[in-house]
Amino acid sequence: ETIDLISDLIDFVSLGTNDLTQYALAVDRGNARLAHLADPLHPAMIRFYARVQAEASRLGLEIDVCGDLAADSVGLALLLGLGYRDFSLSVSSIPEAREVVRSVSCDELEEICGSLGAEQVVGLKIRLREYLATAVPFDTAPAAS
């Protein structure tokens, strides 16, 4: 939220989705009774990712994403749709992420993610899953849930 205040002191921004989700939603992901509430695709998080990317872009700062969100095909599609292009992934997540990136159109994802009003952000996960089901080869498409 204060990137503009420090932009002249930094060269890049790294969005850490795991910790950010935990702290923004006030949910301890290490607590087995609460971990299911730590949803990195919560509407508040989606809007936050959009604001951070837009502000970093406006200020000319490089931005990357680390954390489990980019390892999830729906999360990766969301991030691509919001304009993120650099990701830090675990080695085991790279093959699926590579297949998603090769199979999708960033322009189409940006159109899907373009409006983050109340009605749009709530249904965004469903629209992204539907898009991925048609864009990504069957063996890497996300399971419906």
Side-chain angles (χ1 to χ4, degrees):
E1 291 296 317
T2 58
I3 294 172
D4 60 322
L5 300 178
I6 61 170
S7 64
D8 58 340
L9 303 173
I10 60 176
D11 296 322
F12 67 94
V13 175
S14 183
L15 182 74
T17 60
N18 295 348
D19 290 339
L20 181 62
T21 299
Q22 176 174 322
Y23 297 124
L25 298 180
V27 176
D28 180 2
R29 66 180 189 251
N31 182 325
R33 293 181 299 154
L34 301 175
H36 69 282
L37 298 172
D39 179 7
L41 293 172
H42 184 282
M45 301 310 304
I46 292 171
R47 286 181 169 175
F48 190 83
Y49 307 143
R51 284 194 317 273
V52 169
Q53 199 288 330
E55 187 68 0
S57 179
R58 184 183 74 77
L59 295 167
L61 294 169
E62 292 183 29
I63 186 163
D64 67 21
V65 178
C66 62
D68 296 333
L69 182 59
D72 171 73
S73 58
V74 175
L76 181 56
L78 167 73
L79 293 167
L80 289 167
L82 294 176
Y84 290 90
R85 298 295 183 265
D86 295 309
F87 308 98
S88 174
L89 299 163
S90 66
V91 173
S92 63
S93 300
I94 292 173
E96 182 178 350
R98 181 182 299 136
E99 190 63 37
V100 169
V101 169
R102 287 180 177 165
S103 301
V104 301
S105 161
C106 288
D107 289 339
E108 290 176 8
L109 288 171
E110 287 173 3
E111 188 174 314
I112 292 169
C113 297
S115 177
L116 295 178
E119 291 179 14
Q120 294 82 7
V121 76
V122 171
L124 188 55
K125 285 192 280 188
I126 294 167
R127 290 193 310 278
L128 288 169
R129 281 191 184 101
E130 290 169 351
Y131 173 81
L132 287 171
T134 62
V136 180
F138 179 76
D139 60 330
T140 57
S145 58

